[in-house]
């Protein structure tokens, strides 16, 4: 059991301590935590999220140490992780790691926060657990490969192991226990893209299940429950059933030297990340040529195959959430407003002008873009104007990528904006919470993030 990639990854997850994490990676983990918190608060009022939160409230205890962010309430760690994971994915503003095509925050932080609050862990222990979850989940996503993502939502599958790793770190699992936690988490991994075709609510269930199941797997392992030793690379493991291009070497790529946490990108637009490169490239063309929406006759987005696989089924979006997976809708909103934010989607995704622009946008597979993906997400567009000009736009690092990242001021402003949109916290409460979160490394004990919790 000790020499396999799964065993090596589990040993790394079990042994990592705060002092071994480079300071820039710690700072990045703090950035990611504040960014996640804004997305979690933004989930308030969303029907799918409220449905899952109500389920958690009805099934879980009415008192507990773990915080349900949008409910200003408490529950057990299991149900708090479930509710917070659902909440933090619905606004489509949570982070993403390009190479794994995986959203770490929405599964890692709900499990880590719930467990830290339950155990009375320190802020440094919370950050360590988060880094463990990111490092494990990202590598599992990279291991499963592009073929996996074509059918499976990696955040739901790799995310289950990421949550187990984060919770297991806080529980103090040893290497063998962590490997058992991975086995139990992997056998519960789930999440299929089919929901997009009918605007179903499943995406929030994917993250809710991943965070809760991962936390449960870690707790079971602590208590002696065993899981498959080779759940990732075994002959009947995840790769065998979910991938045709899995690469076990990616599970242990640079453990302890390459910090994948620091490679994670923030989301600027409130939409599927596959739309962002093209959106930024279109903005570049419009600003450089002083174009108005009425000047656009046709927009060709040159994309990777993953974008076509995920966005292609969304032709006529019926809901706000589904519209965030429509390349045409996203680019139409960007063209009209300069940014595809929560307000723009909520108020304008079905407007006549948006629909008219949406129908002028097409996706085309591009060899260069596809070859660079998923490590790099290049944005390329060809714009034909109503007066016959043909203009090219290109963005090599979309806004939010590590080389074009958000500052702490921008992350704070984004969190406050998300809270204001949802009404999940007052401006004053949110400012206090965010200011405190920036000091998380100094916390002797992780308490409630929002004032006024029951």
């Amino acid at each position: 059991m000790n020499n396999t990639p799964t065993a090596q990854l589990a040993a790394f997850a079990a042994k990592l301590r705060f002092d071994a994490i480079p300071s820039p990676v710690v700072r990045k983990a703090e950035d990611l935590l504040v960014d996640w918190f804004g997305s979690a608060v933004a989930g308030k009022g969303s029907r799918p999220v409220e449905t899952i939160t109500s389920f958690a409230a009805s099934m879980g205890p009415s008192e507990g140490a773990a915080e349900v962010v949008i409910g200003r309430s408490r529950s057990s760690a299991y149900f708090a992780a479930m509710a917070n994971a659902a909440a933090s994915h619905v606004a489509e503003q949570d982070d993403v790691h390009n190479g794994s095509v995986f959203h770490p925050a929405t599964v890692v932080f709900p499990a880590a926060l719930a467990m830290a609050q339950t155990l009375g862990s320190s802020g440094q222990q919370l950050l360590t657990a988060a880094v463990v979850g990111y490092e494990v989940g990202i590598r599992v996503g990279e291991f499963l490969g592009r073929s996996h993502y074509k059918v499976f939502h990696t955040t739901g599958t790799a995310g289950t192991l990421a949550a187990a790793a984060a919770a297991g770190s806080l529980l103090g699992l040893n290497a063998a226990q962590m490997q058992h936690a991975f086995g139990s988490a992997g056998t519960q991994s789930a999440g299929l893209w089919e929901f997009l075709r009918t605007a179903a609510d499943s995406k929030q269930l994917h993250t809710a299940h991943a965070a809760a199941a991962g936390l449960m797997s870690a707790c079971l392992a602590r208590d002696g429950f065993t899981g498959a030793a080779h759940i990732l690379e075994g002959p009947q493991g995840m790769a065998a059933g979910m991938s045709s291009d899995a690469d076990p070497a990616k599970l242990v790529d640079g453990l302890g030297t390459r910090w994948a946490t620091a490679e994670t990108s923030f989301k600027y637009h409130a939409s599927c990340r596959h739309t962002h490169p093209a959106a930024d490239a279109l903005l570049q063309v419009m600003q450089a040529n002083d174009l108005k929406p009425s000047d656009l006759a046709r927009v060709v987005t040159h994309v990777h195959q993953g974008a076509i696989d995920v966005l292609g089924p969304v032709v006529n979006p019926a809901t706000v959430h589904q519209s965030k997976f429509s390349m045409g809708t996203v680019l139409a909103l960007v063209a009209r407003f300069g940014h595809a934010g929560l307000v723009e989607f909520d108020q304008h995704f079905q407007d006549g002008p948006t629909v008219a622009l949406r129908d002028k946008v097409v996706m085309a597979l591009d060899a260069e873009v596809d070859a660079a993906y998923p490590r790099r997400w290049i944005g390329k567009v060809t714009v034909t104007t109503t007066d016959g000009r043909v203009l090219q736009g290109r963005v090599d690092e979309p806004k939010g990528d590590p080389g074009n990242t958000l500052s702490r001021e921008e992350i704070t402003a984004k969190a406050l904006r998300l809270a204001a949109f949802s009404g999940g916290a007052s401006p004053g409460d949110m400012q206090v919470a965010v200011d405190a979160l920036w000091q998380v490394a100094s916390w002797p004990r992780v308490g409630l993030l929002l004032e006024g919790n029951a």
Side-chain angles (χ1 to χ4, degrees), residues 75-157:
S75 186
S76 67
Y78 179 85
F79 285 106
M82 178 186 295
N84 291 335
S88 54
H89 202 44
V90 73
E92 293 293 335
Q93 289 269 257
D94 51 310
D95 62 26
V96 63
H97 180 268
N98 288 349
S100 56
V101 201
F102 167 54
H103 301 279
T106 192
V107 289
V108 169
F109 283 116
L113 177 66
M115 190 57 70
Q117 290 173 330
T118 299
L119 297 173
S121 306
S122 70
Q124 290 187 2
Q125 289 173 313
L126 173 62
L127 290 171
T128 302
V131 172
V132 167
Y134 272 68
E135 297 298 320
V136 168
I138 288 168
R139 284 175 172 81
V140 172
E142 291 176 334
F143 156 74
L144 290 170
R146 291 181 62 167
S147 66
H148 177 78
Y149 189 79
K150 187 176 181 70
V151 176
F152 291 95
H153 182 202
T154 306
T155 304
T157 54

Side-chain angles (χ1 to χ4, degrees), residues 98-350:
N98 288 349
S100 56
V101 201
F102 167 54
H103 301 279
T106 192
V107 289
V108 169
F109 283 116
L113 177 66
M115 190 57 70
Q117 290 173 330
T118 299
L119 297 173
S121 306
S122 70
Q124 290 187 2
Q125 289 173 313
L126 173 62
L127 290 171
T128 302
V131 172
V132 167
Y134 272 68
E135 297 298 320
V136 168
I138 288 168
R139 284 175 172 81
V140 172
E142 291 176 334
F143 156 74
L144 290 170
R146 291 181 62 167
S147 66
H148 177 78
Y149 189 79
K150 187 176 181 70
V151 176
F152 291 95
H153 182 202
T154 306
T155 304
T157 54
T160 314
L161 285 96
S169 173
L170 288 160
L171 287 166
L173 300 187
N174 61 34
Q177 291 171 320
M178 187 69 80
Q179 191 168 353
H180 287 306
F182 286 4
S184 293
T187 204
Q188 298 180 81
S189 294
L192 297 163
W193 282 117
E194 183 63 24
F195 75 90
L196 274 174
R197 296 179 186 275
T198 54
D201 299 330
S202 305
K203 200 162 190 272
Q204 278 56 67
L205 181 61
H206 293 176
T207 56
H209 170 76
L215 185 148
M216 178 177 70
S217 298
C219 291
L220 291 173
R222 173 196 58 186
D223 295 337
F225 194 90
T226 63
H230 310 296
I231 193 65
L232 292 167
E233 73 275 44
Q236 291 178 297
M238 288 178 68
M242 296 178 164
S243 176
S244 61
D245 62 343
D247 181 359
K250 292 185 176 179
L251 292 171
V252 295
D253 175 34
L255 283 175
T257 56
R258 170 211 169 196
W259 296 94
T261 304
E263 301 167 2
T264 307
S265 299
F266 300 100
K267 276 191 174 184
Y268 183 64
H269 305 292
S271 59
C272 175
R273 182 67 172 177
H274 291 299
T275 66
H276 291 209
D280 287 358
L282 177 60
L283 276 175
Q284 179 196 81
V285 170
M286 294 186 69
Q287 291 167 359
N289 295 277
D290 196 24
L291 299 180
K292 301 183 294 294
S294 58
D295 295 323
L296 305 179
R298 178 180 170 85
V299 178
V300 178
T301 64
H302 305 279
V303 299
H304 50 262
Q305 184 62 46
I308 295 172
D309 293 340
V310 172
L311 307 177
V314 185
V315 178
N316 183 19
T319 66
V320 171
H321 190 256
Q322 192 185 33
S323 74
K324 297 180 178 189
F325 292 81
S326 162
M327 180 69 85
T329 300
V330 174
L331 266 61
L333 293 175
V334 164
R336 293 183 67 194
F337 304 107
H339 175 61
L342 295 177
V343 172
E344 288 76 21
F345 277 104
D346 191 55
Q347 297 181 5
H348 301 290
F349 88 95
Q350 285 183 319

